[in-house]
Amino acid sequence: MKALSLTNIRKRFGPLEVLKGIDLSLDDGGFLVLLGPSGCGKSTLLSIIAGLEELTDGEVKIGDRVANDLHPKDRNIAMVFQSYALYPSMSVRRNLAFGLHMRRVDQATQAEAVERVADLLGIAHLLERRPAQLSGGQRQRVAMGRALVRDPELFLFDEPLSNLDAKLRVQMRSEIKKLHNRLKTTIVYVTHDQVEAMTLATSIAVMRDGEIQQNAAPSEIYDRPANLFVAGFVGSPQMNFLDGRIVAAGNGASLELGRDGGPENAAIPLPPEALAGIEASDGRPVVAGIRPEALYRQEGGAGGPGFDTKVDLVEITGADTIVSFTIAGQEATARLSADFKPSLGDDLTLAFDPGRLHLFDRETSNRLN
Amino acid sequence: MASLKRSNRMKTVGAYAVAFFFLFFGLAPIVWLIITSLKPEHEIVNRTLTYYPHDPILTNYVDIWNQSSFPTLMMNSFITTTMTVVICVVIGTLAAYSFSQYRFPGKHALLIFYLVVRMFPAVLMIIPLFLILRAFGLLDSHLGLALAYTSFLMPLFIWMMKGFFDTVPVELEKAARIDGCTRVGALVRVIMPLVRNGLAATAIFVAIAAWNEYMFALMLTTSSGSRTWPVGLQLMIGEFQLPWGLLAAGGIISIIPVIILFALVQQTMVRGLTAGAVKG
């Protein structure tokens, strides 16, 4: 059964259209991440699912009920907010029980549910405190507890980890993952953090300007981005984008890097598998995308297609060495092993696995291969 | 070193001098009122000025309470003030909350309009208000006067309360709605407890303004059935007599409720007024 189906969701604020026909669905027990830069409409979409914002057009279905006209309280959902939105005047216990109290659940069941969730999240010792007396991480747990206590059909998370420091964020991220694995809850999760999206989701919907750019499993998003935006948004350091052309050469083709008419063009011969699905129109302008980690140092002659360049900048992160270089007049980076410590200006031969080369149409910016 | 110390001391002395000057300026009339209210008639109207009553008496207090309509005046003021505060709290709270948390067409224009209303002198509003109240048969009634008061106290209430509501995160209402509240339910159960101090402070401002108001009460009430104490007190000044002692005693009695109110909620009020400024 689909836990959530969105059909042609549109939202207009006056003349401004912030959602332009969103279609999405989520299976029971799925973890959907809405990923995108700020202003892309992802939080508005979440508010529409929650019923906190009215939609201009379209249909929201939660479970098998059309929820368009349902009050938030009748949608059987729970939401965790970025600012936690704990009720400052109530104790943690009251915060957790408030939703049950409002639904007129009897005292004993309330107490039981609060204890269960408090144990699950390790906040049992905090029940009598006020939110102001809690640390950021503890507040985050209480906010999650408030959602879990009601056992709703659908959980909505609105950038829940953005207010935490880096270390706590990683910790809470894995806790959310564990909770999801354990409780098999259905979650819609909004974030602009691609690492959160990649690690948590069973499915990612990348959004931009009120439209879904790609909706797929994390590995698919990473390995086969649908267009330049998705390719550039997911992955750090960012994917290298190099302007070039596909030029027919013999019975294969080669990728000629460089801007049109540029003096420093470099031709890289490509095996046919890198061009699968591309019409062999000679001289087609493309953007070649290569992730920094898809590049490796070529020693000797063997390996994939490659090119020679020089080291422009070296950044040592400890786990690996990020080398910046120029190819055909365009800047790019490579993520190389940590034991490689070149000096500026060193000669460098880099190669890549042709299966990890992404080709995008330069005009439409859509994926070609 | 020595000169630095001396200059610091001079500064301190200067600061205290200024402080005491203004304190005297503010307090002296009230002190003089108290002194006058305790003097017998012949000591008030006398060629030689006496700074303190030679034989203090409470006759003025007893007389104004027993021999004039002062208790009725106080009661009228009390009813009118209560009505004003209730109207402002109920309608003003809802209005201030909407202004603070929601987007709707004309929001900014309305807010500015409320501010502009406050800029006109109250005298300008009296005649139109008189006509409106007469049309509705509300002239010379508690409710009519209370409504007239809300015309200039409501903007004050809304602007002050909006400031308090602005400090409340928008997400709280959303969380409460998902937890099962309606919008009004969320306001009452979750938001109001957070602005309680601000509400107390604002309501007291309104109460004091309504309690002490003179001009509207003078124009819009005609009978002793709805007349408030500031007007009643003024009407005690007759053509041939000026009962200073009684007037002073009436003045003192009438500020007692205000003082009690202040004493009761002083801490809450200060907390409310400074909450926005030092919010951590």
Side-chain angles (χ1 to χ4, degrees):
Chain A
M1 192 188 75
K2 294 286 179 200
L4 174 73
S5 329
L6 304 177
T7 316
N8 192 28
I9 302 291
R10 289 175 186 278
K11 176 67 184 174
R12 228 174 264 118
F13 288 118
L16 186 70
E17 191 167 33
V18 291
L19 293 176
K20 301 167 182 165
I22 303 283
D23 293 298
L24 269 180
S25 68
L26 178 61
D27 288 326
D28 219 7
F31 197 129
L32 171 69
V33 170
L34 302 175
L35 176 67
S38 44
C40 72
K42 57 191 192 299
S43 286
T44 308
L45 184 59
L46 198 72
S47 292
I48 285 177
I49 299 171
L52 296 169
E53 197 83 66
E54 278 177 29
L55 40 71
T56 312
D57 197 12
E59 186 185 77
V60 177
K61 238 171 134 179
I62 297 173
D64 44 14
R65 288 185 303 166
V66 176
N68 280 23
D69 298 321
L70 286 183
H71 190 280
K73 70 182 161 72
D74 301 323
R75 295 190 178 204
N76 200 14
I77 50 164
M79 190 157 171
V80 178
F81 294 89
Q82 183 178 354
S83 67
Y84 318 135
L86 300 179
Y87 311 127
S89 58
M90 302 179 194
S91 66
V92 169
R93 184 187 297 280
R94 280 279 293 157
N95 263 283
L96 293 175
F98 189 70
L100 298 173
H101 172 74
M102 289 307 296
R103 285 175 172 74
R104 300 203 166 78
V105 173
D106 65 86
Q107 292 285 336
T109 318
Q110 276 185 37
E112 203 180 302
V114 168
E115 297 294 336
R116 174 177 57 82
V117 167
D119 284 341
L120 180 71
L121 295 169
I123 49 172
H125 59 297
L126 305 172
L127 286 176
E128 304 314 322
R129 296 211 198 154
R130 293 282 172 98
Q133 299 165 305
L134 302 178
S135 70
Q138 290 169 334
R139 285 181 208 189
Q140 176 60 50
R141 278 168 212 271
V142 176
M144 296 214 316
R146 193 169 59 179
L148 287 169
V149 80
R150 283 201 285 109
D151 201 15
E153 262 179 86
L154 187 61
F155 285 83
L156 308 175
F157 285 78
D158 190 4
E159 309 213 15
L161 304 183
S162 304
N163 286 3
L164 299 177
D165 62 57
K167 195 176 155 198
L168 206 51
R169 199 179 310 158
V170 175
Q171 189 189 332
M172 289 307 292
R173 196 172 72 204
S174 54
E175 284 196 28
I176 292 177
K177 178 104 178 160
K178 279 184 209 154
L179 273 175
H180 177 247
N181 289 340
R182 198 164 137 197
L183 304 175
K184 300 285 175 238
T185 44
T186 313
I187 298 178
V188 181
Y189 187 109
V190 162
T191 184
H192 61 266
D193 183 325
Q194 39 125 350
V195 181
E196 269 173 43
M198 292 296 291
T199 51
L200 290 172
T202 58
S203 160
I204 299 178
V206 182
M207 291 181 68
R208 179 200 198 184
D209 295 337
E211 283 173 316
I212 291 183
Q213 303 290 306
Q214 188 174 8
N215 178 20
S219 57
E220 171 94 3
I221 296 271
Y222 188 79
D223 293 332
R224 293 186 57 79
N227 56 36
L228 280 174
F229 177 78
V230 176
F233 197 79
V234 176
S236 176
Q238 205 194 326
M239 185 188 279
N240 297 304
F241 293 129
L242 303 167
D243 283 347
R245 282 174 185 283
I246 302 290
V247 182
N251 53 2
S254 70
L255 172 65
E256 194 180 285
L257 292 178
R259 303 223 162 81
D260 298 340
E264 302 172 79
N265 292 2
I268 302 171
L270 293 177
E273 71 258 28
L275 296 167
I278 301 181
E279 296 163 42
S281 68
D282 196 19
R284 179 169 191 159
V286 295
V287 176
I290 308 172
R291 292 204 183 275
E293 55 272 32
L295 290 163
Y296 56 90
R297 260 182 329 131
Q298 197 173 41
E299 283 148 316
F307 51 88
D308 297 322
T309 182
K310 281 185 194 310
V311 174
D312 284 347
L313 180 70
V314 180
E315 290 165 288
I316 293 168
T317 68
D320 36 38
T321 301
I322 313 282
V323 175
S324 301
F325 58 91
T326 311
I327 176 165
Q330 303 173 71
E331 284 175 14
T333 56
R335 187 164 168 176
L336 304 172
S337 67
D339 52 12
F340 177 59
K341 294 191 169 62
S343 310
L344 296 189
D346 280 4
D347 286 327
L348 183 65
T349 304
L350 292 171
F352 57 90
D353 171 5
R356 297 179 75 181
L357 173 72
H358 311 272
L359 291 172
F360 303 96
D361 189 296
R362 217 188 290 177
E363 271 172 30
T364 63
S365 83
N366 287 333
R367 184 184 188 85
L368 293 170
N369 59 340
Chain B
M1 276 298 276
S3 74
L4 187 68
K5 220 176 214 171
R6 196 185 311 146
S7 105
N8 274 345
R9 194 177 306 144
M10 289 296 285
K11 274 183 202 161
T12 312
V13 170
Y16 271 103
V18 173
F20 274 111
F21 173 75
F22 281 103
L23 187 68
F24 174 80
F25 212 73
L27 269 185
I30 295 172
V31 173
W32 193 244
L33 197 68
I34 296 173
I35 291 171
T36 308
S37 75
L38 296 172
K39 284 178 183 172
E41 185 73 15
H42 67 266
E43 248 186 86
I44 300 171
V45 193
N46 199 338
R47 270 170 177 277
T48 52
L49 183 65
T50 55
Y51 285 99
Y52 57 93
H54 287 292
D55 45 335
I57 47 152
L58 289 173
T59 348
N60 287 328
Y61 288 91
V62 177
D63 285 353
I64 193 159
W65 198 258
N66 289 337
Q67 294 174 20
S68 76
S69 58
F70 200 70
T72 319
L73 296 174
M74 292 280 281
M75 196 60 204
N76 288 339
S77 278
F78 178 76
I79 294 170
T80 309
T81 302
T82 310
M83 281 180 164
T84 310
V85 171
V86 169
I87 295 172
C88 279
V89 167
V90 175
I91 297 175
T93 302
L94 291 172
Y97 187 65
S98 328
F99 278 125
S100 166
Q101 308 271 315
Y102 301 145
R103 275 181 301 197
F104 53 87
K107 169 175 156 175
H108 291 287
L110 266 172
L111 261 179
I112 296 297
F113 174 74
Y114 276 137
L115 206 59
V116 169
V117 169
R118 291 277 308 171
M119 289 173 185
F120 290 113
V123 194
L124 280 183
M125 309 215 307
I126 289 186
I127 295 170
L129 262 175
F130 184 91
L131 297 173
I132 293 170
L133 291 180
R134 191 176 61 182
F136 284 97
L138 287 172
L139 220 50
D140 195 27
S141 71
H142 294 129
L143 181 61
L145 192 57
L147 285 175
Y149 286 170
T150 59
S151 72
F152 66 95
L153 290 176
M154 188 74 90
L156 173 81
F157 187 94
I158 290 174
W159 269 93
M160 279 185 73
M161 280 311 289
K162 180 182 171 294
F164 293 116
F165 282 129
D166 281 348
T167 65
V168 177
V170 228
E171 289 181 340
L172 277 182
E173 188 208 85
K174 295 183 180 175
R177 285 174 67 200
I178 286 176
D179 265 345
C181 293
T182 58
R183 279 190 160 165
V184 176
L187 173 63
V188 173
R189 286 166 193 274
V190 174
I191 313 293
M192 290 311 282
L194 303 179
V195 297
R196 202 178 46 206
N197 294 342
L199 180 69
T202 313
I204 287 166
F205 266 115
V206 167
I208 292 171
W211 180 261
N212 290 334
E213 206 284 333
Y214 170 75
M215 198 160 36
F216 278 45
L218 179 69
M219 304 298 285
L220 302 175
T221 60
T222 46
S223 73
S224 57
S226 61
R227 192 175 290 144
T228 57
W229 72 263
V231 179
L233 214 55
Q234 194 266 340
L235 292 178
M236 283 179 197
I237 301 171
E239 195 174 351
F240 300 109
Q241 60 158 353
L242 219 172
W244 283 119
L246 290 181
L247 290 178
I252 295 300
I253 293 175
S254 64
I255 61 172
I256 288 174
V258 177
I259 291 171
I260 293 176
L261 212 56
F262 257 118
L264 284 179
V265 293
Q266 187 217 94
Q267 277 191 325
T268 322
M269 183 159 166
V270 171
R271 238 180 288 141
L273 289 179
T274 52
V278 293
K279 198 168 182 291

